[in-house]
Amino acid sequence: MTKKKRSRTRIVDEMTQIIVGHLENMPLKERKQRLSAFGEVLNRGAKRGSARPKAVSSALP
């Protein structure tokens, strides 16, 4: 049997539906706080350090 592979687009769509559903069930005040915090994270995105820093060749003997 072969497993059916889902495309990236479909996976993103499914995740978005889950997140939106969660936000819609949240109290308005909490939803605003979370969306605001999320926006701040996105705005700082370019200022973050790399998750995978480059190796420093000068540190090797």
Side-chain angles (χ1 to χ4, degrees), residues 2-42:
T2 60
K3 289 186 178 181
K4 200 175 191 183
K5 290 188 179 182
R6 294 182 296 170
S7 69
R8 289 182 195 179
T9 304
R10 183 164 178 187
I11 293 170
V12 170
D13 287 343
E14 291 173 3
M15 290 174 63
T16 302
Q17 290 175 6
I18 291 168
I19 293 166
V20 169
H22 179 69
L23 288 171
E24 288 176 344
N25 291 325
M26 199 178 283
L28 182 61
K29 185 177 179 181
E30 184 180 357
R31 183 184 331 157
K32 286 182 178 181
Q33 289 173 339
R34 288 182 184 251
L35 288 174
S36 175
F38 183 68
E40 289 175 15
V41 169
L42 290 179

